[in-house]
Amino acid sequence: MVQRPLRVGCAVGTATGNRSSAVSRPRIRVLVAEDDPDILAVIALALGRVGGMEVTYCADGLAVLKQVPTVAPELILLDVMMPELDGLETLTRLRADPRTAAIPVVFLTARVQPSDLAAYRAKGALAVIGKPFDPMTLAQQLRELHADSLRPR
Amino acid sequence: MPTVSDHVDDSFDPLADLRLRFVERTRSRVDRLRQAFSVEAPDIRLIAPLAHQLAGSAGTFGYARLGRAAAALEDAALAAHAAQGLIDQRLLEPHLLAIEHAAVALDAE
């Protein structure tokens, strides 16, 4: 697997999308894991209603591993701190399975200290989007990251 | 950070309903934090996730003051636990008070 450079997707000033451009683009299947119902509701708004993406939601990492074969996501958005199975362990298990090893994974987390970023990089995360995030540009950020992951290195 | 109002006109706030729900939930979260602190030996496994969730969601809804206060409590609790193996309520009380004050002010923001 080609290791992509880790990017911190900062919500401030990096995305350019808006609602009209988002819905005119191909739908991306995204699997989201987030245990906070308030944040999950914002993500649903940002990726579904605003972003026009096909989104499946999970509350923890175990549910992600269960859903992946059915959903066949093109990108996974993972919270880091979750009950049952946290984001890092979830990514480890995804990478260990040849069927899921190549799925790009983006972390959505408030933990963006340099030591945290090093850990995400070591596990093979594509990028990190910091919390708090801008709901109106989240879909565009993911589109850009997904497109980036498809480019040959 | 840009807010929703940077992207849409003043008459449309797609987050309005979700924000109201967040404000309602915040009261019970802060109560749970206070309860977690009230026991003889506060449990980092309760306090850190509660503070972490509050920090992430408050910031996303635009409540920066509450988000900062919750993040400060999470950091202080984790640091105290790492250094001493326990949570000293007296040291963390100012952070909890800051959260409570910020939560009371949510309706006015």
Side-chain angles (χ1 to χ4, degrees):
Chain A
M1 189 191 99
V2 177
Q3 196 80 345
R4 311 289 190 202
L6 190 79
R7 292 177 11 183
V8 177
C10 176
V12 181
T14 58
T16 54
N18 57 42
R19 280 170 288 159
S20 58
S21 66
V23 293
S24 66
R25 294 179 183 183
R27 290 167 75 88
I28 297 175
R29 281 189 312 281
V30 181
L31 186 58
V32 175
E34 168 64 61
D35 65 317
D36 183 330
D38 291 318
I39 295 284
L40 200 56
V42 175
I43 293 173
L45 175 82
L47 301 188
R49 261 178 63 194
V50 176
M53 294 177 164
E54 191 178 322
V55 193
T56 302
Y57 306 97
C58 302
D60 61 63
L62 285 179
V64 168
L65 298 178
K66 203 178 289 183
Q67 287 286 334
V68 162
T70 311
V71 174
E74 296 163 272
L75 188 141
I76 298 175
L77 183 64
L78 282 182
D79 184 17
V80 172
M81 278 185 72
M82 292 185 289
E84 305 296 338
L85 197 65
D86 68 21
L88 282 173
E89 183 56 30
T90 303
L91 179 53
T92 299
R93 296 192 192 184
L94 288 168
R95 292 291 178 258
D97 185 338
R99 294 168 300 177
T100 58
I103 302 172
V105 170
V106 175
F107 281 123
L108 183 65
T109 178
R111 294 184 174 279
V112 290
Q113 297 297 315
S115 59
D116 300 318
L117 297 179
Y120 308 146
R121 183 184 299 116
K123 295 286 185 187
L126 172 68
V128 177
I129 294 174
K131 290 179 184 173
F133 61 94
D134 181 358
M136 303 310 287
T137 60
L138 181 64
Q140 183 61 24
Q141 283 184 280
L142 292 188
R143 282 184 201 287
E144 290 171 4
L145 289 167
H146 178 252
D148 188 44
S149 75
L150 297 177
R151 286 193 195 100
R153 304 278 161 168
Chain B
M1 114 172 232
T3 65
V4 171
S5 60
D6 294 328
H7 303 279
V8 296
D9 64 59
D10 291 341
S11 63
F12 177 67
D13 179 358
L15 282 186
D17 289 343
L18 301 180
R19 190 178 289 114
L20 277 176
R21 214 185 308 167
F22 166 77
V23 170
E24 286 170 10
R25 268 198 244 265
T26 295
R27 296 193 181 99
S28 70
R29 281 179 173 167
V30 173
D31 288 346
R32 279 156 61 200
L33 261 178
R34 173 55 76 186
Q35 284 170 8
F37 265 84
S38 301
V39 300
E40 193 173 331
D43 189 343
I44 187 71
R45 291 168 301 180
L46 280 178
I47 291 168
L50 275 172
H52 180 81
Q53 277 198 344
L54 198 51
S57 49
T60 297
F61 284 105
Y63 298 117
R65 183 179 159 206
L66 178 61
R68 283 194 301 271
L73 174 64
E74 182 193 8
D75 289 345
L78 289 172
H81 190 262
Q84 303 157 7
L86 53 84
I87 291 180
D88 185 336
Q89 289 107 319
R90 289 168 305 170
L91 289 178
L92 298 183
E93 181 64 21
H95 295 296
L96 188 54
L97 283 174
I99 288 174
E100 289 173 336
H101 288 156
V104 167
L106 285 186
D107 291 332
E109 286 186 41

